Amino acid sequence: MSVSVSGVSSQLRYITCGVPQGSVLGPLLFLIYINDIGNSIYGIPIKLFADDTNLFIFTESIDVLKIDAEDKIKLLNSWFVANKLSLSLGETCYSIYGSTDIEKLKIHLKIDDVETQPVDRSKYLGIFIDSNLSWQSHIDYVFNKIIKFTSIFYKIRNKTSYDVAKMIYFAFIHSNLAYGIEIYGNTYTDHLNRLMMLNNKLLRILQNAPRETPVVKLYANFNTLTLSELHTYQILKFIHNCIYHQNKLTSIFSNYLARII
């Protein structure tokens, strides 16, 4: 490798480890390289998504949780050091669920003498999990993501056919609402009201429907469901797959439900 600045190139240096960023084989080689990271900690599976590493630890005692978390973090960091990888300390954080504010003050996690920061919410696979498990943060995230389509829909509603408008709704609005609704849709109705009202408004705009058009008809026209109905539908699909089509689910759900005969 070499570096070129203003037409002047540095001397060539050999790369002894790693792969060039953006290369075709880079992602595959990286996954092979970190394939044994699960062996660094015993008893608790490490959740990986590409280079995003997550660790979930649970106990009934906050004191035991503190000791357990510190031990697991040390083991994980040792694996990174041994494999010539480094944690991004600025992006490394932790959240505590189901504890009081006083209990949370007992936990201070450090990596190489650098204290990691506690956060009230963290993003995991596209879903924001807040420390109170109210899902308000994720609902706000989805709301802010789809509200920008309001003005766009006003501009295109008279220039697109009915079928195209329906495709646009399912591509940009329904997909964001449906993702993870099995989880965040279980919150209080008050938390969901703002998102439900926005969804109603977007349907009305795209269909160019008069204000007096019943909301039920707006959903029927696009053959879709309200948020509460969509939540129920997705839960029923999940339960059906748990009972009849376990091959469609990950192994963690193999014994998720128990039949009572």
Side-chain angles (χ1 to χ4, degrees):
M1 64 171 293
S2 66
V3 178
S4 179
V5 179
S6 300
V8 180
S9 298
S10 66
Q11 295 180 346
L12 290 174
R13 300 294 297 269
Y14 289 102
I15 300 176
T16 58
C17 62
V19 293
Q21 187 173 0
S23 62
V24 175
L25 286 177
L28 176 61
L29 293 175
F30 176 78
L31 292 177
I32 294 174
Y33 189 75
I34 67 169
N35 188 54
D36 68 332
I37 191 175
N39 298 329
S40 61
I41 300 176
Y42 294 97
I44 298 178
I46 297 175
K47 307 296 183 181
L48 294 171
F49 185 77
D51 62 343
D52 195 7
T53 307
N54 295 270
L55 193 61
F56 294 89
I57 304 172
F58 55 92
T59 64
E60 296 182 359
S61 169
I62 194 69
D63 295 319
V64 175
L65 179 65
K66 177 179 182 296
I67 296 172
D68 203 14
E70 290 175 346
D71 291 341
K72 297 297 187 293
I73 289 295
K74 288 179 181 178
L75 290 172
L76 191 59
N77 188 52
S78 297
W79 184 92
F80 278 103
V81 172
N83 287 273
K84 297 183 178 181
L85 295 173
S86 60
L87 284 170
S88 178
L89 298 180
E91 298 179 5
T92 302
C93 58
Y94 66 92
S95 295
I96 306 173
Y97 310 100
S99 299
T100 64
D101 292 338
I102 296 177
E103 289 177 327
K104 291 178 181 179
L105 294 175
K106 294 182 178 181
I107 295 184
H108 298 278
L109 299 180
K110 292 185 177 181
I111 301 176
D112 290 337
D113 293 329
V114 177
E115 188 167 339
T116 57
Q117 296 300 315
V119 294
D120 290 329
R121 66 171 190 171
S122 56
K123 191 176 184 181
Y124 180 63
L125 297 180
I127 297 179
F128 282 95
I129 307 175
D130 59 272
S131 57
N132 295 321
L133 297 180
S134 67
W135 307 107
Q136 187 64 61
S137 297
H138 183 73
I139 293 171
D140 291 341
Y141 167 73
V142 176
F143 181 90
N144 294 328
K145 193 173 183 179
I146 66 176
I147 194 174
K148 63 185 178 182
F149 290 99
T150 305
S151 59
I152 298 175
F153 287 174
Y154 272 121
K155 295 177 181 178
I156 68 173
R157 64 178 179 175
N158 294 318
K159 300 178 182 179
T160 57
S161 65
Y162 185 85
D163 291 336
V164 171
K166 184 177 179 180
M167 290 173 59
I168 291 173
Y169 171 79
F170 276 91
F172 296 103
I173 307 302
H174 186 272
S175 59
N176 284 297
L177 295 174
Y179 183 74
I181 196 170
E182 300 93 333
I183 301 174
Y184 81 83
N186 199 42
T187 188
Y188 297 107
T189 303
D190 291 344
H191 293 343
L192 291 170
N193 277 337
R194 191 167 64 130
L195 195 58
M196 290 189 290
M197 293 177 64
L198 176 59
N199 191 33
N200 296 343
K201 181 177 181 179
L202 293 172
L203 283 169
R204 193 181 303 277
I205 296 171
L206 267 183
Q207 296 178 29
N208 206 4
R211 184 176 294 274
E212 60 273 12
T213 305
V215 173
V216 175
K217 187 175 181 181
L218 296 176
Y219 285 89
N221 288 342
F222 272 11
N223 193 27
T224 187
L225 302 170
T226 63
L227 282 183
S228 59
E229 293 171 338
L230 185 60
H231 170 251
T232 302
Y233 173 69
Q234 292 296 100
I235 292 294
L236 290 174
K237 278 180 60 179
F238 172 73
I239 298 299
H240 184 271
N241 287 332
C242 283
I243 298 174
Y244 299 106
H245 303 287
Q246 291 190 5
N247 60 314
K248 294 183 179 180
L249 303 170
T250 58
S251 59
I252 194 174
F253 296 116
S254 58
N255 298 316
Y256 198 71
L257 298 176
R259 287 193 178 190
I260 300 177
I261 301 177

